[in-house]
Amino acid sequence: MSDSAPIAFYDFDGTLVASNIVTRYSFLVRQIPSRALSIWKLLNLISSVPAYLLLDRASRRLFNEVFFKEYRGLRKEWLDAQAQTLFEQAILPTVFAGAKEMVEADRAQGSRVVLVTGELDFTLGPVVSYFGFDDLIANTLIFQNGSATGAVAPPLIAETAKVKAMISLCRRYHVDIRHSKAYSDSFSDVPMLEAVGYPCAVNPDLRLRRKAERCGWPIRDLLRSGASPARVERGHHAHLS
C-alpha cells in the first residue's frame, strides 16, 4: 500500500462491538486468580457505576482517566496473558454483524484501516488481527515494577486527543486528513468525525444521530451478530463502505 493511500479511522466501542471498556474490565477482574481480590474489585466497580455514568456524560476523557485507575495493582504479565481469552469470550461474541465487512470494504477500496480507541492497547492485539487493521491508536497503562499504577501514558486518547493522533498518523503517511474517513457511534467523537472529509455515524447515540442528520452524514445501524437485518444505511454518502 502506498503512503498516499487514504485512511479510514474506526472507533471501537459501540461502532464495531457492543462491549465497552467497563464490561471488558469486569470480565478481566473475574479471571483474577485471587478470589478475594476479584470480589473486592468487582464490588468497587459496582459501587462506582453511578459516578462513572455521570463522568462519561460530562467528559469521555475524564471518564477514561478515572476509570483506568481500577487497573491499579494488576500485573502486566498477567494482563498480557489474558488478551486472547478476553477476545474470544468477551469481545468476539459482541462484534456487530457487518462490522468486519465494513472494514474489509475500505481496505478493498485502497484505504489504510486504523483502529482509534480509548481502550487499553494490551487488550487489542487479537482485535487488530481479526479485523486486519494496519495501525492502532490506543491508550497504554503505566507500570512500575511490573504492576499497573492506574495512570495512562500521555497523551490520553479521547475526544480532541483522538484528532491530534489522527492528524499525526496522516502526516506520517503523507495523507490529507480531508481525504480520509472516520466511523464512530458517540457524540463525544464529533471532533473525530468533523476532522475528516468522509464521516459516518455508526449505531449513533441520540445526540450524534441528530448531528449526523443535520449535517447529512451517512448513518449505519449495525446489529449484534445473528440479528437481522444486519445493516440499515441512510444519508447522502451511501458510497462509503
Side-chain angles (χ1 to χ4, degrees):
M1 181 179 295
S2 70
D3 283 353
S4 60
I7 299 177
F9 294 98
Y10 282 85
D11 175 53
F12 189 48
D13 295 352
T15 302
L16 300 176
V17 298
S19 60
N20 56 58
I21 64 174
V22 177
T23 60
R24 292 190 291 272
Y25 170 78
S26 176
F27 175 87
L28 286 171
V29 165
R30 293 196 297 272
Q31 313 310 308
I32 295 175
S34 169
R35 182 167 176 79
L37 179 59
S38 176
I39 292 174
W40 181 82
K41 281 192 169 289
L42 279 174
L43 290 176
N44 186 67
L45 174 63
I46 293 170
S47 65
S48 301
V49 166
Y52 285 142
L53 289 173
L54 290 174
L55 276 176
D56 188 49
R57 179 71 178 180
S59 167
R60 181 61 57 84
R61 176 184 176 83
L62 181 59
F63 167 81
N64 285 357
E65 185 175 353
V66 173
F67 181 77
F68 289 141
K69 295 183 186 301
E70 296 280 354
Y71 281 87
R72 186 185 295 123
L74 295 180
R75 302 289 295 177
K76 183 179 189 306
E77 182 179 354
W78 181 82
L79 287 170
D80 289 342
Q82 302 307 307
Q84 188 62 36
T85 299
L86 176 69
F87 174 72
E88 292 174 357
Q89 298 186 27
I91 297 177
L92 187 57
T94 74
V95 172
F96 291 120
K100 187 175 184 181
E101 291 78 6
M102 188 166 61
V103 177
E104 290 174 344
D106 274 330
R107 185 186 304 105
Q109 292 172 10
S111 294
R112 181 180 296 272
V113 289
V114 177
L115 181 61
V116 51
T117 172
E119 178 58 288
L120 297 169
D121 56 1
F122 80 87
T123 70
L124 297 170
V127 172
V128 169
S129 296
Y130 175 78
F131 283 97
F133 284 111
D134 297 301
D135 292 278
L136 170 66
I137 297 171
N139 284 310
T140 301
L141 283 173
I142 294 175
F143 293 88
Q144 186 172 17
N145 299 322
S147 293
T149 64
V152 174
L156 190 148
I157 302 300
E159 299 171 346
T160 57
K162 275 190 175 184
V163 178
K164 292 179 180 179
M166 290 162 58
I167 292 172
S168 178
L169 195 70
C170 285
R171 287 173 177 165
R172 183 195 308 175
Y173 292 121
H174 309 292
V175 172
D176 187 338
I177 196 169
R178 293 171 297 179
H179 297 162
S180 297
K181 304 176 184 179
Y183 302 80
S184 181
D185 71 302
S186 174
F187 186 79
S188 67
D189 278 335
V190 164
M192 168 185 173
L193 295 170
E194 289 182 330
V196 301
Y198 303 98
C200 182
V202 181
N203 300 331
D205 59 33
L206 182 58
R207 288 190 295 170
L208 180 56
R209 186 175 294 274
R210 288 173 175 169
K211 170 75 172 178
E213 289 172 346
R214 288 197 305 270
C215 295
W217 296 346
I219 297 173
R220 292 189 173 189
D221 292 311
L222 307 183
L223 303 180
R224 292 285 290 268
S225 295
S228 181
R231 180 170 67 204
V232 177
E233 298 186 10
R234 293 188 294 277
H236 300 307
H237 302 290
H239 64 279
L240 289 180
S241 298

mmCIF file of all heavy atoms in Angstrom, residues 163-210:
data_model
loop_
_atom_site.group_PDB
_atom_site.id
_atom_site.type_symbol
_atom_site.label_atom_id
_atom_site.label_comp_id
_atom_site.label_asym_id
_atom_site.label_seq_id
_atom_site.Cartn_x
_atom_site.Cartn_y
_atom_site.Cartn_z
ATOM 1 N N VAL A 163 -8.185 13.286 17.594
ATOM 2 C CA VAL A 163 -7.955 14.039 16.356
ATOM 3 C C VAL A 163 -6.472 14.329 16.179
ATOM 4 O O VAL A 163 -5.923 14.179 15.079
ATOM 5 C CB VAL A 163 -8.763 15.350 16.360
ATOM 6 C CG1 VAL A 163 -8.476 16.150 15.093
ATOM 7 C CG2 VAL A 163 -10.259 15.052 16.479
ATOM 8 N N LYS A 164 -5.808 14.732 17.250
ATOM 9 C CA LYS A 164 -4.374 15.018 17.162
ATOM 10 C C LYS A 164 -3.601 13.775 16.738
ATOM 11 O O LYS A 164 -2.668 13.856 15.920
ATOM 12 C CB LYS A 164 -3.863 15.541 18.502
ATOM 13 C CG LYS A 164 -4.392 16.918 18.865
ATOM 14 C CD LYS A 164 -3.878 17.374 20.224
ATOM 15 C CE LYS A 164 -4.422 18.749 20.577
ATOM 16 N NZ LYS A 164 -3.966 19.216 21.924
ATOM 17 N N ALA A 165 -3.983 12.621 17.290
ATOM 18 C CA ALA A 165 -3.312 11.376 16.924
ATOM 19 C C ALA A 165 -3.595 11.012 15.472
ATOM 20 O O ALA A 165 -2.717 10.507 14.757
ATOM 21 C CB ALA A 165 -3.767 10.253 17.855
ATOM 22 N N MET A 166 -4.815 11.263 15.018
ATOM 23 C CA MET A 166 -5.175 11.001 13.622
ATOM 24 C C MET A 166 -4.375 11.888 12.676
ATOM 25 O O MET A 166 -3.852 11.432 11.655
ATOM 26 C CB MET A 166 -6.676 11.222 13.428
ATOM 27 C CG MET A 166 -7.551 10.168 14.100
ATOM 28 S SD MET A 166 -9.292 10.700 14.313
ATOM 29 C CE MET A 166 -9.777 11.044 12.613
ATOM 30 N N ILE A 167 -4.272 13.166 13.013
ATOM 31 C CA ILE A 167 -3.515 14.103 12.184
ATOM 32 C C ILE A 167 -2.051 13.691 12.120
ATOM 33 O O ILE A 167 -1.413 13.718 11.058
ATOM 34 C CB ILE A 167 -3.651 15.539 12.729
ATOM 35 C CG1 ILE A 167 -5.086 16.036 12.546
ATOM 36 C CG2 ILE A 167 -2.659 16.481 12.050
ATOM 37 C CD1 ILE A 167 -5.365 17.368 13.220
ATOM 38 N N SER A 168 -1.505 13.271 13.266
ATOM 39 C CA SER A 168 -0.112 12.826 13.307
ATOM 40 C C SER A 168 0.110 11.622 12.400
ATOM 41 O O SER A 168 1.116 11.553 11.676
ATOM 42 C CB SER A 168 0.270 12.488 14.752
ATOM 43 O OG SER A 168 1.594 12.006 14.827
ATOM 44 N N LEU A 169 -0.841 10.682 12.422
ATOM 45 C CA LEU A 169 -0.709 9.494 11.578
ATOM 46 C C LEU A 169 -0.817 9.878 10.098
ATOM 47 O O LEU A 169 -0.082 9.345 9.253
ATOM 48 C CB LEU A 169 -1.779 8.464 11.936
ATOM 49 C CG LEU A 169 -1.542 7.055 11.387
ATOM 50 C CD1 LEU A 169 -0.366 6.393 12.084
ATOM 51 C CD2 LEU A 169 -2.794 6.195 11.555
ATOM 52 N N CYS A 170 -1.725 10.785 9.790
ATOM 53 C CA CYS A 170 -1.858 11.239 8.400
ATOM 54 C C CYS A 170 -0.561 11.880 7.913
ATOM 55 O O CYS A 170 -0.129 11.652 6.775
ATOM 56 C CB CYS A 170 -3.019 12.222 8.277
ATOM 57 S SG CYS A 170 -4.655 11.460 8.333
ATOM 58 N N ARG A 171 0.071 12.664 8.758
ATOM 59 C CA ARG A 171 1.335 13.288 8.376
ATOM 60 C C ARG A 171 2.408 12.232 8.145
ATOM 61 O O ARG A 171 3.224 12.358 7.222
ATOM 62 C CB ARG A 171 1.780 14.265 9.458
ATOM 63 C CG ARG A 171 0.943 15.546 9.503
ATOM 64 C CD ARG A 171 1.303 16.407 10.683
ATOM 65 N NE ARG A 171 0.544 17.664 10.688
ATOM 66 C CZ ARG A 171 0.447 18.468 11.734
ATOM 67 N NH1 ARG A 171 1.062 18.165 12.877
ATOM 68 N NH2 ARG A 171 -0.258 19.582 11.655
ATOM 69 N N ARG A 172 2.411 11.188 8.983
ATOM 70 C CA ARG A 172 3.409 10.135 8.826
ATOM 71 C C ARG A 172 3.295 9.477 7.450
ATOM 72 O O ARG A 172 4.299 9.142 6.829
ATOM 73 C CB ARG A 172 3.239 9.071 9.914
ATOM 74 C CG ARG A 172 4.302 7.975 9.860
ATOM 75 C CD ARG A 172 3.924 6.758 10.679
ATOM 76 N NE ARG A 172 3.549 7.086 12.044
ATOM 77 C CZ ARG A 172 3.080 6.174 12.903
ATOM 78 N NH1 ARG A 172 2.926 4.912 12.517
ATOM 79 N NH2 ARG A 172 2.751 6.520 14.124
ATOM 80 N N TYR A 173 2.051 9.305 6.993
ATOM 81 C CA TYR A 173 1.838 8.627 5.714
ATOM 82 C C TYR A 173 1.588 9.604 4.556
ATOM 83 O O TYR A 173 1.210 9.175 3.469
ATOM 84 C CB TYR A 173 0.659 7.654 5.845
ATOM 85 C CG TYR A 173 0.953 6.495 6.758
ATOM 86 C CD1 TYR A 173 0.156 6.259 7.890
ATOM 87 C CD2 TYR A 173 2.014 5.636 6.517
ATOM 88 C CE1 TYR A 173 0.424 5.192 8.745
ATOM 89 C CE2 TYR A 173 2.282 4.571 7.361
ATOM 90 C CZ TYR A 173 1.483 4.355 8.477
ATOM 91 O OH TYR A 173 1.746 3.295 9.314
ATOM 92 N N HIS A 174 1.782 10.895 4.832
ATOM 93 C CA HIS A 174 1.622 11.925 3.795
ATOM 94 C C HIS A 174 0.216 11.877 3.185
ATOM 95 O O HIS A 174 0.043 11.907 1.963
ATOM 96 C CB HIS A 174 2.682 11.750 2.701
ATOM 97 C CG HIS A 174 4.074 11.636 3.231
ATOM 98 N ND1 HIS A 174 4.722 12.696 3.832
ATOM 99 C CD2 HIS A 174 4.937 10.587 3.283
ATOM 100 C CE1 HIS A 174 5.926 12.305 4.229
ATOM 101 N NE2 HIS A 174 6.085 11.038 3.913
ATOM 102 N N VAL A 175 -0.767 11.835 4.077
ATOM 103 C CA VAL A 175 -2.168 11.762 3.665
ATOM 104 C C VAL A 175 -2.891 13.023 4.127
ATOM 105 O O VAL A 175 -2.702 13.476 5.263
ATOM 106 C CB VAL A 175 -2.854 10.513 4.274
ATOM 107 C CG1 VAL A 175 -4.354 10.532 4.018
ATOM 108 C CG2 VAL A 175 -2.230 9.244 3.717
ATOM 109 N N ASP A 176 -3.718 13.586 3.277
ATOM 110 C CA ASP A 176 -4.569 14.714 3.646
ATOM 111 C C ASP A 176 -5.761 14.155 4.422
ATOM 112 O O ASP A 176 -6.529 13.344 3.898
ATOM 113 C CB ASP A 176 -5.054 15.433 2.382
ATOM 114 C CG ASP A 176 -5.817 16.722 2.699
ATOM 115 O OD1 ASP A 176 -6.324 16.861 3.830
ATOM 116 O OD2 ASP A 176 -5.908 17.565 1.792
ATOM 117 N N ILE A 177 -5.906 14.571 5.678
ATOM 118 C CA ILE A 177 -6.982 14.033 6.510
ATOM 119 C C ILE A 177 -8.357 14.323 5.903
ATOM 120 O O ILE A 177 -9.319 13.596 6.149
ATOM 121 C CB ILE A 177 -6.892 14.575 7.957
ATOM 122 C CG1 ILE A 177 -7.757 13.715 8.899
ATOM 123 C CG2 ILE A 177 -7.288 16.049 8.018
ATOM 124 C CD1 ILE A 177 -7.540 13.995 10.360
ATOM 125 N N ARG A 178 -8.453 15.336 5.073
ATOM 126 C CA ARG A 178 -9.736 15.663 4.426
ATOM 127 C C ARG A 178 -10.123 14.629 3.373
ATOM 128 O O ARG A 178 -11.259 14.599 2.914
ATOM 129 C CB ARG A 178 -9.664 17.054 3.814
ATOM 130 C CG ARG A 178 -9.546 18.187 4.832
ATOM 131 C CD ARG A 178 -9.271 19.499 4.154
ATOM 132 N NE ARG A 178 -7.990 19.489 3.449
ATOM 133 C CZ ARG A 178 -7.508 20.507 2.760
ATOM 134 N NH1 ARG A 178 -8.219 21.638 2.685
ATOM 135 N NH2 ARG A 178 -6.343 20.425 2.148
ATOM 136 N N HIS A 179 -9.166 13.786 2.994
ATOM 137 C CA HIS A 179 -9.456 12.705 2.055
ATOM 138 C C HIS A 179 -9.747 11.392 2.778
ATOM 139 O O HIS A 179 -9.927 10.357 2.140
ATOM 140 C CB HIS A 179 -8.278 12.502 1.095
ATOM 141 C CG HIS A 179 -8.007 13.683 0.229
ATOM 142 N ND1 HIS A 179 -6.808 13.877 -0.429
ATOM 143 C CD2 HIS A 179 -8.781 14.765 -0.088
ATOM 144 C CE1 HIS A 179 -6.857 15.011 -1.101
ATOM 145 N NE2 HIS A 179 -8.045 15.568 -0.914
ATOM 146 N N SER A 180 -9.769 11.449 4.115
ATOM 147 C CA SER A 180 -9.925 10.240 4.926
ATOM 148 C C SER A 180 -11.350 10.081 5.437
ATOM 149 O O SER A 180 -12.181 10.983 5.331
ATOM 150 C CB SER A 180 -8.930 10.269 6.090
ATOM 151 O OG SER A 180 -7.603 10.254 5.617
ATOM 152 N N LYS A 181 -11.621 8.912 6.016
ATOM 153 C CA LYS A 181 -12.933 8.579 6.561
ATOM 154 C C LYS A 181 -12.831 8.371 8.075
ATOM 155 O O LYS A 181 -11.755 8.081 8.598
ATOM 156 C CB LYS A 181 -13.464 7.285 5.931
ATOM 157 C CG LYS A 181 -13.540 7.280 4.415
ATOM 158 C CD LYS A 181 -13.980 5.906 3.924
ATOM 159 C CE LYS A 181 -13.983 5.811 2.405
ATOM 160 N NZ LYS A 181 -14.392 4.469 1.934
ATOM 161 N N ALA A 182 -13.944 8.490 8.758
ATOM 162 C CA ALA A 182 -13.987 8.184 10.184
ATOM 163 C C ALA A 182 -15.364 7.632 10.528
ATOM 164 O O ALA A 182 -16.379 8.080 9.987
ATOM 165 C CB ALA A 182 -13.690 9.421 11.025
ATOM 166 N N TYR A 183 -15.373 6.666 11.429
ATOM 167 C CA TYR A 183 -16.602 5.998 11.848
ATOM 168 C C TYR A 183 -16.681 6.014 13.376
ATOM 169 O O TYR A 183 -15.725 5.638 14.059
ATOM 170 C CB TYR A 183 -16.603 4.539 11.393
ATOM 171 C CG TYR A 183 -16.463 4.322 9.907
ATOM 172 C CD1 TYR A 183 -15.227 4.377 9.275
ATOM 173 C CD2 TYR A 183 -17.578 4.030 9.119
ATOM 174 C CE1 TYR A 183 -15.095 4.157 7.906
ATOM 175 C CE2 TYR A 183 -17.461 3.804 7.753
ATOM 176 C CZ TYR A 183 -16.216 3.872 7.156
ATOM 177 O OH TYR A 183 -16.084 3.644 5.804
ATOM 178 N N SER A 184 -17.810 6.436 13.912
ATOM 179 C CA SER A 184 -17.998 6.397 15.364
ATOM 180 C C SER A 184 -19.481 6.381 15.722
ATOM 181 O O SER A 184 -20.329 6.766 14.912
ATOM 182 C CB SER A 184 -17.330 7.590 16.043
ATOM 183 O OG SER A 184 -17.494 7.517 17.452
ATOM 184 N N ASP A 185 -19.755 5.955 16.961
ATOM 185 C CA ASP A 185 -21.129 5.871 17.457
ATOM 186 C C ASP A 185 -21.461 6.991 18.438
ATOM 187 O O ASP A 185 -22.619 7.169 18.805
ATOM 188 C CB ASP A 185 -21.332 4.543 18.187
ATOM 189 C CG ASP A 185 -20.575 4.513 19.513
ATOM 190 O OD1 ASP A 185 -19.331 4.692 19.492
ATOM 191 O OD2 ASP A 185 -21.197 4.342 20.571
ATOM 192 N N SER A 186 -20.441 7.717 18.896
ATOM 193 C CA SER A 186 -20.629 8.597 20.055
ATOM 194 C C SER A 186 -20.521 10.076 19.725
ATOM 195 O O SER A 186 -19.646 10.500 18.959
ATOM 196 C CB SER A 186 -19.587 8.246 21.124
ATOM 197 O OG SER A 186 -19.645 9.153 22.208
ATOM 198 N N PHE A 187 -21.380 10.866 20.347
ATOM 199 C CA PHE A 187 -21.329 12.315 20.188
ATOM 200 C C PHE A 187 -19.993 12.864 20.674
ATOM 201 O O PHE A 187 -19.529 13.898 20.180
ATOM 202 C CB PHE A 187 -22.474 12.972 20.959
ATOM 203 C CG PHE A 187 -22.589 14.453 20.730
ATOM 204 C CD1 PHE A 187 -23.184 14.945 19.574
ATOM 205 C CD2 PHE A 187 -22.107 15.355 21.662
ATOM 206 C CE1 PHE A 187 -23.283 16.322 19.355
ATOM 207 C CE2 PHE A 187 -22.209 16.724 21.458
ATOM 208 C CZ PHE A 187 -22.797 17.202 20.292
ATOM 209 N N SER A 188 -19.355 12.170 21.619
ATOM 210 C CA SER A 188 -18.050 12.615 22.103
ATOM 211 C C SER A 188 -16.993 12.565 21.006
ATOM 212 O O SER A 188 -15.936 13.198 21.122
ATOM 213 C CB SER A 188 -17.597 11.765 23.300
ATOM 214 O OG SER A 188 -17.336 10.431 22.910
ATOM 215 N N ASP A 189 -17.277 11.826 19.930
ATOM 216 C CA ASP A 189 -16.332 11.717 18.821
ATOM 217 C C ASP A 189 -16.659 12.650 17.658
ATOM 218 O O ASP A 189 -16.111 12.483 16.561
ATOM 219 C CB ASP A 189 -16.289 10.269 18.302
ATOM 220 C CG ASP A 189 -15.388 9.388 19.144
ATOM 221 O OD1 ASP A 189 -14.474 9.917 19.792
ATOM 222 O OD2 ASP A 189 -15.610 8.154 19.148
ATOM 223 N N VAL A 190 -17.510 13.642 17.895
ATOM 224 C CA VAL A 190 -17.790 14.617 16.841
ATOM 225 C C VAL A 190 -16.506 15.272 16.327
ATOM 226 O O VAL A 190 -16.340 15.439 15.114
ATOM 227 C CB VAL A 190 -18.809 15.674 17.315
ATOM 228 C CG1 VAL A 190 -18.808 16.897 16.392
ATOM 229 C CG2 VAL A 190 -20.208 15.058 17.353
ATOM 230 N N PRO A 191 -15.546 15.646 17.192
ATOM 231 C CA PRO A 191 -14.292 16.211 16.660
ATOM 232 C C PRO A 191 -13.587 15.259 15.693
ATOM 233 O O PRO A 191 -13.041 15.702 14.670
ATOM 234 C CB PRO A 191 -13.449 16.445 17.920
ATOM 235 C CG PRO A 191 -14.455 16.653 19.005
ATOM 236 C CD PRO A 191 -15.571 15.700 18.674
ATOM 237 N N MET A 192 -13.613 13.980 15.995
ATOM 238 C CA MET A 192 -13.011 12.970 15.116
ATOM 239 C C MET A 192 -13.724 12.919 13.772
ATOM 240 O O MET A 192 -13.099 12.852 12.715
ATOM 241 C CB MET A 192 -13.077 11.603 15.815
ATOM 242 C CG MET A 192 -12.773 10.395 14.973
ATOM 243 S SD MET A 192 -13.037 8.873 15.953
ATOM 244 C CE MET A 192 -12.813 7.618 14.682
ATOM 245 N N LEU A 193 -15.033 12.982 13.807
ATOM 246 C CA LEU A 193 -15.822 12.903 12.579
ATOM 247 C C LEU A 193 -15.704 14.184 11.756
ATOM 248 O O LEU A 193 -15.660 14.143 10.525
ATOM 249 C CB LEU A 193 -17.285 12.617 12.926
ATOM 250 C CG LEU A 193 -17.553 11.256 13.574
ATOM 251 C CD1 LEU A 193 -18.986 11.174 14.092
ATOM 252 C CD2 LEU A 193 -17.289 10.125 12.586
ATOM 253 N N GLU A 194 -15.652 15.322 12.423
ATOM 254 C CA GLU A 194 -15.551 16.595 11.709
ATOM 255 C C GLU A 194 -14.169 16.816 11.105
ATOM 256 O O GLU A 194 -14.021 17.632 10.186
ATOM 257 C CB GLU A 194 -15.892 17.742 12.657
ATOM 258 C CG GLU A 194 -17.368 17.810 13.042
ATOM 259 C CD GLU A 194 -17.691 18.979 13.929
ATOM 260 O OE1 GLU A 194 -16.802 19.417 14.704
ATOM 261 O OE2 GLU A 194 -18.840 19.466 13.879
ATOM 262 N N ALA A 195 -13.181 16.081 11.598
ATOM 263 C CA ALA A 195 -11.809 16.284 11.124
ATOM 264 C C ALA A 195 -11.572 15.703 9.736
ATOM 265 O O ALA A 195 -10.648 16.121 9.039
ATOM 266 C CB ALA A 195 -10.817 15.666 12.110
ATOM 267 N N VAL A 196 -12.418 14.740 9.330
ATOM 268 C CA VAL A 196 -12.201 14.056 8.051
ATOM 269 C C VAL A 196 -13.170 14.555 6.992
ATOM 270 O O VAL A 196 -14.149 15.243 7.290
ATOM 271 C CB VAL A 196 -12.355 12.522 8.218
ATOM 272 C CG1 VAL A 196 -11.355 11.989 9.238
ATOM 273 C CG2 VAL A 196 -13.784 12.161 8.619
ATOM 274 N N GLY A 197 -12.907 14.158 5.754
ATOM 275 C CA GLY A 197 -13.788 14.560 4.668
ATOM 276 C C GLY A 197 -15.007 13.679 4.528
ATOM 277 O O GLY A 197 -16.025 14.092 3.957
ATOM 278 N N TYR A 198 -14.917 12.440 5.084
ATOM 279 C CA TYR A 198 -15.996 11.473 4.913
ATOM 280 C C TYR A 198 -16.356 10.826 6.251
ATOM 281 O O TYR A 198 -15.930 9.714 6.554
ATOM 282 C CB TYR A 198 -15.592 10.404 3.895
ATOM 283 C CG TYR A 198 -15.213 10.983 2.551
ATOM 284 C CD1 TYR A 198 -13.873 11.189 2.237
ATOM 285 C CD2 TYR A 198 -16.188 11.359 1.629
ATOM 286 C CE1 TYR A 198 -13.512 11.741 1.016
ATOM 287 C CE2 TYR A 198 -15.828 11.913 0.406
ATOM 288 C CZ TYR A 198 -14.491 12.101 0.106
ATOM 289 O OH TYR A 198 -14.136 12.657 -1.097
ATOM 290 N N PRO A 199 -17.142 11.524 7.078
ATOM 291 C CA PRO A 199 -17.561 10.961 8.367
ATOM 292 C C PRO A 199 -18.751 10.029 8.201
ATOM 293 O O PRO A 199 -19.544 10.160 7.256
ATOM 294 C CB PRO A 199 -17.956 12.207 9.164
ATOM 295 C CG PRO A 199 -18.459 13.155 8.114
ATOM 296 C CD PRO A 199 -17.631 12.895 6.883
ATOM 297 N N CYS A 200 -18.876 9.079 9.113
ATOM 298 C CA CYS A 200 -20.018 8.169 9.116
ATOM 299 C C CYS A 200 -20.392 7.856 10.555
ATOM 300 O O CYS A 200 -19.538 7.452 11.359
ATOM 301 C CB CYS A 200 -19.680 6.882 8.361
ATOM 302 S SG CYS A 200 -21.058 5.703 8.268
ATOM 303 N N ALA A 201 -21.658 8.040 10.889
ATOM 304 C CA ALA A 201 -22.164 7.709 12.224
ATOM 305 C C ALA A 201 -22.644 6.262 12.217
ATOM 306 O O ALA A 201 -23.527 5.904 11.432
ATOM 307 C CB ALA A 201 -23.300 8.651 12.603
ATOM 308 N N VAL A 202 -22.058 5.445 13.073
ATOM 309 C CA VAL A 202 -22.412 4.028 13.148
ATOM 310 C C VAL A 202 -23.062 3.761 14.504
ATOM 311 O O VAL A 202 -22.480 4.067 15.547
ATOM 312 C CB VAL A 202 -21.167 3.132 12.977
ATOM 313 C CG1 VAL A 202 -21.556 1.658 13.039
ATOM 314 C CG2 VAL A 202 -20.461 3.432 11.662
ATOM 315 N N ASN A 203 -24.272 3.219 14.494
ATOM 316 C CA ASN A 203 -25.003 2.990 15.751
ATOM 317 C C ASN A 203 -24.987 4.251 16.625
ATOM 318 O O ASN A 203 -24.670 4.177 17.817
ATOM 319 C CB ASN A 203 -24.400 1.820 16.531
ATOM 320 C CG ASN A 203 -24.435 0.526 15.771
ATOM 321 O OD1 ASN A 203 -25.307 0.307 14.938
ATOM 322 N ND2 ASN A 203 -23.479 -0.352 16.042
ATOM 323 N N PRO A 204 -25.315 5.409 16.068
ATOM 324 C CA PRO A 204 -25.114 6.657 16.806
ATOM 325 C C PRO A 204 -26.039 6.805 18.008
ATOM 326 O O PRO A 204 -27.194 6.383 17.978
ATOM 327 C CB PRO A 204 -25.417 7.727 15.760
ATOM 328 C CG PRO A 204 -26.364 7.069 14.806
ATOM 329 C CD PRO A 204 -25.900 5.638 14.729
ATOM 330 N N ASP A 205 -25.483 7.416 19.081
ATOM 331 C CA ASP A 205 -26.340 7.801 20.188
ATOM 332 C C ASP A 205 -27.243 8.936 19.708
ATOM 333 O O ASP A 205 -27.093 9.447 18.593
ATOM 334 C CB ASP A 205 -25.517 8.183 21.421
ATOM 335 C CG ASP A 205 -24.548 9.342 21.183
ATOM 336 O OD1 ASP A 205 -24.864 10.250 20.391
ATOM 337 O OD2 ASP A 205 -23.462 9.339 21.794
ATOM 338 N N LEU A 206 -28.202 9.323 20.527
ATOM 339 C CA LEU A 206 -29.225 10.264 20.091
ATOM 340 C C LEU A 206 -28.635 11.587 19.621
ATOM 341 O O LEU A 206 -29.013 12.125 18.572
ATOM 342 C CB LEU A 206 -30.235 10.515 21.219
ATOM 343 C CG LEU A 206 -31.398 11.449 20.890
ATOM 344 C CD1 LEU A 206 -32.195 10.914 19.696
ATOM 345 C CD2 LEU A 206 -32.300 11.633 22.110
ATOM 346 N N ARG A 207 -27.675 12.120 20.382
ATOM 347 C CA ARG A 207 -27.093 13.413 20.009
ATOM 348 C C ARG A 207 -26.306 13.315 18.707
ATOM 349 O O ARG A 207 -26.370 14.223 17.868
ATOM 350 C CB ARG A 207 -26.210 13.932 21.141
ATOM 351 C CG ARG A 207 -26.987 14.405 22.366
ATOM 352 C CD ARG A 207 -26.095 15.127 23.353
ATOM 353 N NE ARG A 207 -25.092 14.228 23.921
ATOM 354 C CZ ARG A 207 -24.071 14.640 24.667
ATOM 355 N NH1 ARG A 207 -23.904 15.929 24.907
ATOM 356 N NH2 ARG A 207 -23.222 13.761 25.172
ATOM 357 N N LEU A 208 -25.577 12.223 18.525
ATOM 358 C CA LEU A 208 -24.829 12.072 17.282
ATOM 359 C C LEU A 208 -25.769 11.834 16.104
ATOM 360 O O LEU A 208 -25.537 12.346 15.002
ATOM 361 C CB LEU A 208 -23.822 10.922 17.380
ATOM 362 C CG LEU A 208 -22.986 10.682 16.114
ATOM 363 C CD1 LEU A 208 -22.241 11.943 15.706
ATOM 364 C CD2 LEU A 208 -22.024 9.521 16.307
ATOM 365 N N ARG A 209 -26.836 11.086 16.334
ATOM 366 C CA ARG A 209 -27.795 10.861 15.257
ATOM 367 C C ARG A 209 -28.380 12.196 14.769
ATOM 368 O O ARG A 209 -28.501 12.433 13.561
ATOM 369 C CB ARG A 209 -28.909 9.926 15.718
ATOM 370 C CG ARG A 209 -29.873 9.511 14.606
ATOM 371 C CD ARG A 209 -30.891 8.495 15.111
ATOM 372 N NE ARG A 209 -30.249 7.237 15.466
ATOM 373 C CZ ARG A 209 -30.001 6.252 14.596
ATOM 374 N NH1 ARG A 209 -30.329 6.392 13.328
ATOM 375 N NH2 ARG A 209 -29.435 5.143 15.006
ATOM 376 N N ARG A 210 -28.737 13.049 15.705
ATOM 377 C CA ARG A 210 -29.288 14.347 15.332
ATOM 378 C C ARG A 210 -28.253 15.183 14.589
ATOM 379 O O ARG A 210 -28.568 15.859 13.595
ATOM 380 C CB ARG A 210 -29.766 15.085 16.582
ATOM 381 C CG ARG A 210 -31.029 14.490 17.198
ATOM 382 C CD ARG A 210 -31.354 15.144 18.520
ATOM 383 N NE ARG A 210 -32.626 14.659 19.068
ATOM 384 C CZ ARG A 210 -33.042 14.897 20.302
ATOM 385 N NH1 ARG A 210 -32.288 15.635 21.118
ATOM 386 N NH2 ARG A 210 -34.199 14.426 20.724
#
